[in-house]
């Protein structure tokens, strides 16, 4: 299982960093939760997210907006994703929980590189017709500050 | 309250925004989202979803942050120059439409008065 989670994380990071955002919703189940929040908000049980999507359609909608509607400076990410820790028992329906640290460098079109975000992915994963998919990915950022805007998903 | 507080209502997304100056070239915007204790589950979900409209990754506010950055950098490169684009005169009277700059003109008039300009 650990190997499957590692592979999913590697594919997930490459899809985003290679600007294949259209592939990103495919890493999630149809009914899902993707949320970006801060460690402080997470600890205090505050529900709102900087990005909050509770259906796969909302993920696809965000990609469509980034491609067709939103105005933002051209930028790319480089994800460094650490090793996942499998946490908690496997549920009756085969759901696995994993926690994985990440670091994201943002590269702007003028070459500026910033350490944009660090944190951990809190995941619930299930086998979805033979593929391991995210039923839930809560992106808990260590800092509560984001530099101007968060366009591309973490 | 003035001049660094903004009360936000975008559909069912309610928030208090606080502007925190961090120097000439930096500021932070603090967001506090609000719901009500007697919101039902459906309304709570609606507020969580509609929070996507605003904030650093907001559908309607992302480009504001981007364009603000452009203007800040452009202004820094021409500190001796002045440019004004007027939309709809110079007054601060209430209007029937939101397509007006009366409120922001009122803001700057008050700001100048408080700062003694």
């Amino acid at each position: 299982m650990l190997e499957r989670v590692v592979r999913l994380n590697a594919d997930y990071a490459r899809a985003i960093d290679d600007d294949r955002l259209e592939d990103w919703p495919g890493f999630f189940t149809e009914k899902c939760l993707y949320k970006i929040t801060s460690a402080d908000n997470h600890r205090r049980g505050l529900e709102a997210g900087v990005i909050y999507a509770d259906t796969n359609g909302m993920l696809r909608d965000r990609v469509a907006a980034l491609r067709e509607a939103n105005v933002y400076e051209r930028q790319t990410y480089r994800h460094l994703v650490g090793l996942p820790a499998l946490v908690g028992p496997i549920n009756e329906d085969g759901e696995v929980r994993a926690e994985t640290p990440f670091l994201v460098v943002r590269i702007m079109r003028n070459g500026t590189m910033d350490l944009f975000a660090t944190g951990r992915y809190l995941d619930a994963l299930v086998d979805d017709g033979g593929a391991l998919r995210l039923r839930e990915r809560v992106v808990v950022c260590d800092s509560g500050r984001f530099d101007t805007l968060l366009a591309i998903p973490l | 309250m003035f001049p660094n507080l903004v009360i936000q209502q975008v559909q069912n997304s309610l928030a208090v925004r606080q502007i925190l100056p961090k120097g000439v070239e930096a500021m932070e915007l603090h967001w506090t989202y609000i719901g009500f204790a007697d919101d039902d589950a459906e309304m709570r979900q609606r507020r969580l979803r509609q929070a996507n409209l605003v904030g650093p990754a907001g559908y309607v506010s992302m480009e504001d942050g981007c364009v603000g950055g452009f203007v800040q950098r452009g202004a820094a490169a021409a500190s001796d120059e002045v440019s004004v684009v007027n939309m709809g005169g110079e007054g601060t009277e209430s209007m029937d439409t939101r397509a007006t700059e009366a409120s922001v003109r009122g803001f700057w008039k008050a700001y100048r008065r408080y700062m003694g300009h």
Side-chain angles (χ1 to χ4, degrees):
Chain A
M1 179 49 72
L2 188 65
E3 191 192 325
R4 293 184 78 191
V5 179
V6 168
R7 193 178 304 135
L8 171 70
N9 280 338
D11 292 343
Y12 178 102
R14 283 182 69 230
I16 294 173
D17 295 356
D18 292 350
D19 192 31
R20 286 182 283 110
L21 296 181
E22 285 72 12
D23 293 346
W24 173 64
F27 294 104
F28 292 83
T29 54
E30 198 54 39
K31 177 92 187 78
C32 61
L33 176 69
Y34 175 78
K35 179 166 86 165
I36 298 180
T37 185
S38 69
D40 187 47
N41 276 9
H42 181 71
R43 191 166 41 241
R44 291 158 66 186
L46 299 173
E47 256 185 297
V50 174
I51 293 180
Y52 182 96
D54 59 11
T55 66
N56 200 288
M58 288 182 76
L59 300 177
R60 295 196 296 271
D61 195 42
R62 188 158 276 274
V63 174
L66 286 172
R67 294 295 195 213
E68 292 164 32
N70 294 138
V71 175
Y72 59 101
E73 285 188 72
R74 202 163 70 230
Q75 54 186 270
T76 57
Y77 286 166
R78 179 65 59 204
H79 277 74
L80 287 185
V81 181
L83 286 175
L86 301 184
V87 290
I90 296 177
N91 280 8
E92 282 167 22
D93 65 348
E95 182 187 89
V96 176
R97 295 219 155 239
E99 180 177 328
T100 310
F102 68 86
L103 179 156
V104 172
V105 175
R106 183 176 63 172
I107 305 97
M108 305 303 287
R109 60 178 173 166
N110 68 359
T112 303
M113 291 190 291
D114 297 301
L115 181 52
F116 184 60
T118 66
R120 56 205 168 113
Y121 294 130
L122 303 185
D123 298 335
L125 305 115
V126 285
D127 190 291
D128 186 19
L132 191 67
R133 290 205 171 87
L134 293 157
R135 178 182 280 173
E136 194 178 301
R137 169 158 278 187
V138 178
V139 184
V140 180
C141 294
D142 295 320
S143 170
R145 284 170 27 182
F146 293 92
D147 181 18
T148 302
L149 57 83
L150 176 74
I152 304 167
L154 292 171
Chain B
M1 298 289 281
F2 180 89
N4 65 332
L5 179 85
V6 181
I7 305 288
Q8 171 208 303
Q9 185 248 314
V10 180
Q11 297 188 18
N12 290 293
S13 172
L14 311 175
V16 174
R17 304 184 212 167
Q18 218 184 337
I19 293 162
L20 212 64
K22 304 296 274 187
V24 175
E25 295 191 347
M27 54 84 85
E28 285 176 8
L29 194 50
H30 290 200
W31 304 73
T32 307
Y33 291 105
I34 294 170
F36 291 96
D38 60 354
D39 282 349
D40 59 18
E42 208 176 317
M43 176 55 85
R44 190 175 180 82
Q45 186 189 35
R46 198 175 298 136
R47 293 198 202 284
L48 290 169
R49 286 176 162 182
Q50 290 180 354
N52 281 298
L53 288 167
V54 290
Y59 283 129
V60 299
S61 55
M62 205 188 295
E63 64 198 51
D64 294 351
C66 174
V67 171
F70 289 157
V71 172
Q72 181 77 8
R73 274 178 268 162
S79 56
D80 298 335
E81 307 295 329
V82 174
S83 89
V84 176
V85 179
N86 264 11
M87 187 169 90
E90 295 178 350
T92 54
E93 306 79 34
S94 288
M95 311 284 242
D96 294 334
T97 165
R98 289 291 308 275
T100 162
E101 293 192 328
S103 60
V104 78
R105 275 198 292 269
F107 172 91
W108 285 114
K109 280 175 194 285
Y111 188 79
R112 287 181 59 168
R113 195 169 67 243
Y114 284 117
M115 299 302 283
H117 285 301

